[in-house]
Amino acid sequence: MIRKGGSNWVDGENFFDRKTDLEALEERVREGTHTLLTAQRRMGKTSLVRELQRRLAGTGEFEVVFVDLEAATNPADAIAEISVQAKSVRAAWDRIKTGFANLVRSAGGRIEELSVADLRVKLRAGIDAGNWPQRGDAIFAALAESGRPVVLAIDELPILVNRLLKDEAGRVTPEGKREADAFLSWLRKAGQAHRDRLTLILSGSVSLEPLLEQAGLSAQANIFSPYDLKPWSEETAVDCLEALAGSYEIGLTPEVRREMCRRLRCCIPHHVQMFFVRMHDHLRRADRTVATMEDAEQVYLHDLLSVRGQMDLEHYEGRLETVLGRAGYPIALEMLTETAVKGRLDGDTVKRYRAHFASDMEDATPTVEDVLHVLEHDGYLERSDGGYRFVSGLLEDWWRGRHGGNFESAVGAQRRGPGADR
Ligand SMILES: Nc1ncnc2c1ncn2[C@@H]1O[C@H](COP(=O)(O)OP(=O)(O)O)[C@@H](O)[C@H]1O
Ligand SMILES: [Mg+2]
């Protein structure tokens, strides 16, 4: 029985469909192909990888390790995190821990009693800016020789790369570039060295490719074969809503379910789940169990797009700010608002933005091209008729509501030039 999804990843019974994606990724793992899993936020990347690993571990043929680098600020942190998560592979862990003299010395026979947090701190103390590549090599070797083939998932790697590359204003620095280059080329070599015993799956909530392009490091990702995770089809989303309605014993007719999906336009699993959660709350408040078409409209306009509904969507802005930095974010803000307010961003307007933002920006800040690249890659905008439009109806409506109020385009209006009648 499927339960409602919150904001964290889901697996097992709560994981809906994604059959072809699971099959494709399993095939890659069995063939020893390293994967770069890309998709915009909330598409279900983490859930997909977790569920894949759960199933593969269940066959008894594979060992699985899941590493989240969200909190890592440098390569040494990343290696410490991989080490601590490798604990789930017994044979490898026995070798890894003896490699850390400081750990053995301080914890002695009580290593196994340490909490993950303590272990992380102690492992980290044995890794520094000079020895992380050797430490990393030793851990990969231990994993590769653990008996069963290992599926090593590294989530949020792009966040780390972004942190390494850029200063606070979001500019790529020469030093940052050197450090990111060193880490990625180490990862690439390690991945190649153990190809048949260890498969890597990289993923993250911002795209790696535009980052690497910006820094001229694209070649570092070429051992990873990209896999683009798509939104659910309307059919799948409608089926998921039916399954959820069944679990919570509420009535959603096919017509209502289709209307919900039509509103979203792009069926990002998290948005489908959010819509269901709000609908369920709405019916409960109204003391009813069957939803009407009006309910679908009401919940969309007043709950999903409400202040409370926005909490989930604010993450989107946060991530954009992270990737584009203080210099690039205002450009994105302006262009997204223009697109939401006008319904599209046409080619001429893009040209005007190019001229506008080129004039008063220093070097090394993201260009309009860089920003558009990120917006397209991260699933905000898609090309249409020589211009751009929002992919998701929900995101578009929300963005308009939040930023569109007193919006005056910086470039959209010749009307505001001299002689304009205002
Ligand atoms: N296969 C799925 N079945 C049901 N819900 C899903 C599925 N994939 C994603 N979701 C919903 O989307 C949310 C975000 O999923 P997550 O895996 O964290 O996405 P990402 O890692 O791409 O940001 C989950 O909390 C869940 O509500
Ligand atoms: Mg995730």
Side-chain angles (χ1 to χ4, degrees):
M1 192 182 96
I2 185 170
R3 276 165 297 163
K4 290 183 276 201
S7 53
N8 217 339
W9 53 277
V10 293
D11 71 350
E13 283 193 324
N14 299 325
F15 184 89
F16 192 79
D17 194 67
R18 292 295 194 198
K19 205 163 158 288
T20 49
D21 301 300
L22 285 167
E23 279 168 14
L25 291 184
E26 174 164 352
E27 183 183 289
R28 283 161 173 246
V29 166
R30 291 188 181 275
E31 290 175 355
T33 305
H34 300 306
T35 293
L36 174 60
L37 181 62
T38 61
Q40 79 176 87
R41 295 182 38 65
R42 303 301 202 194
M43 197 63 85
K45 296 175 297 296
T46 304
S47 302
L48 180 65
V49 173
R50 292 279 193 174
E51 176 64 9
L52 175 75
Q53 288 194 323
R54 194 186 67 85
R55 293 186 187 194
L56 290 175
T59 66
E61 297 169 71
F62 297 92
E63 300 284 0
V64 302
V65 179
F66 189 95
V67 180
D68 185 344
L69 295 185
E70 168 113 51
T73 57
N74 52 45
D77 286 347
I79 301 298
E81 196 55 38
I82 298 172
S83 315
V84 77
Q85 299 304 335
K87 192 166 182 255
S88 60
V89 184
R90 266 233 75 86
W93 174 241
D94 285 339
R95 277 182 55 183
I96 292 167
K97 67 184 176 195
T98 54
F100 283 84
N102 68 313
L103 175 66
V104 176
R105 218 172 25 244
S106 68
R110 297 183 302 102
I111 294 178
E112 303 314 320
E113 293 162 29
L114 295 176
S115 68
V116 169
D118 285 345
L119 204 50
R120 184 183 290 120
V121 171
K122 290 203 188 299
L123 289 169
R124 179 65 183 81
I127 305 172
D128 57 42
N131 72 4
W132 67 259
Q134 291 78 27
R135 289 289 189 201
D137 285 342
I139 288 149
F140 269 56
L143 284 172
E145 284 156 33
S146 69
R148 283 184 272 248
V150 175
V151 183
L152 172 58
I154 305 185
D155 206 5
E156 305 297 6
L157 177 83
I159 299 272
L160 169 63
V161 171
N162 185 61
R163 254 184 218 136
L164 294 178
L165 279 176
K166 296 175 182 174
D167 65 13
E168 275 176 21
R171 297 191 193 92
V172 175
T173 66
E175 223 173 301
K177 195 173 143 176
R178 257 195 311 279
E179 211 178 4
D181 195 17
F183 184 67
L184 289 168
S185 68
W186 168 78
L187 185 64
R188 177 167 166 225
K189 255 198 241 120
Q192 270 164 334
H194 305 288
R195 191 175 272 276
D196 48 340
R197 307 293 307 154
L198 185 150
T199 314
L200 288 163
I201 303 179
L202 306 186
S203 53
S205 53
V206 297
S207 304
L208 189 60
E209 288 107 316
L211 273 177
L212 295 185
E213 241 164 75
Q214 232 178 306
L217 296 175
S218 297
Q220 294 297 13
N222 66 9
I223 68 157
F224 299 97
S225 159
Y227 187 85
D228 196 19
L229 184 64
K230 301 284 186 205
W232 277 337
S233 66
E234 182 174 320
E235 201 189 331
T236 304
V238 161
D239 288 349
C240 180
L241 287 170
E242 184 179 23
L244 286 165
S247 294
Y248 292 91
E249 299 179 336
I250 66 173
L252 294 180
T253 61
E255 196 192 13
V256 167
R257 285 184 262 133
R258 266 196 303 277
E259 172 63 13
M260 291 167 76
C261 295
R262 197 189 59 75
R263 288 271 177 185
L264 295 175
R265 193 156 81 210
C266 167
C267 294
I268 296 167
H270 183 241
H271 295 174
V272 175
Q273 292 261 17
M274 262 177 17
F275 208 156
F276 180 80
V277 168
R278 305 289 181 205
M279 177 65 93
H280 192 200
D281 290 345
H282 170 82
L283 290 176
R284 212 180 244 149
R285 279 196 303 272
D287 201 19
R288 284 186 284 128
T289 56
V290 179
T292 64
M293 291 293 270
E294 281 88 80
D295 290 323
E297 182 175 6
Q298 282 259 320
V299 171
Y300 182 78
L301 293 177
H302 301 298
D303 295 329
L304 270 189
L305 294 176
S306 75
V307 176
R308 213 161 41 92
Q310 295 190 359
M311 290 222 323
D312 300 291
L313 294 168
E314 272 163 16
H315 286 283
Y316 282 88
E317 289 183 318
R319 276 292 194 267
L320 263 188
E321 229 171 334
T322 309
V323 186
L324 294 170
R326 261 183 313 193
Y329 182 65
I331 306 178
L333 194 70
E334 163 81 27
M335 290 198 292
L336 286 174
T337 307
E338 167 86 20
T339 313
V341 169
K342 303 268 167 66
R344 53 179 273 109
L345 184 66
D346 60 46
D348 287 341
T349 311
V350 173
K351 269 192 216 134
R352 286 202 291 275
Y353 275 124
R354 225 175 271 143
H356 178 79
F357 284 111
S359 53
D360 54 340
M361 287 282 174
E362 310 148 48
D363 283 346
T365 58
T367 63
V368 164
E369 248 56 58
D370 292 333
V371 172
L372 275 172
H373 192 113
V374 168
L375 293 178
E376 208 183 337
H377 223 281
D378 282 354
Y380 292 87
L381 300 182
E382 63 189 356
R383 283 166 203 264
S384 89
D385 294 335
Y388 293 87
R389 61 168 213 159
F390 266 86
V391 179
S392 158
L394 175 63
L395 213 51
E396 177 177 48
D397 290 339
W398 173 73
W399 198 278
R400 194 186 318 106
R402 183 166 164 83
H403 298 287
N406 301 312
F407 176 66
E408 282 196 56
S409 173
V411 305
Q414 291 93 333
R415 341 168 209 115
R416 284 195 287 120
D421 54 278
R422 52 203 301 269

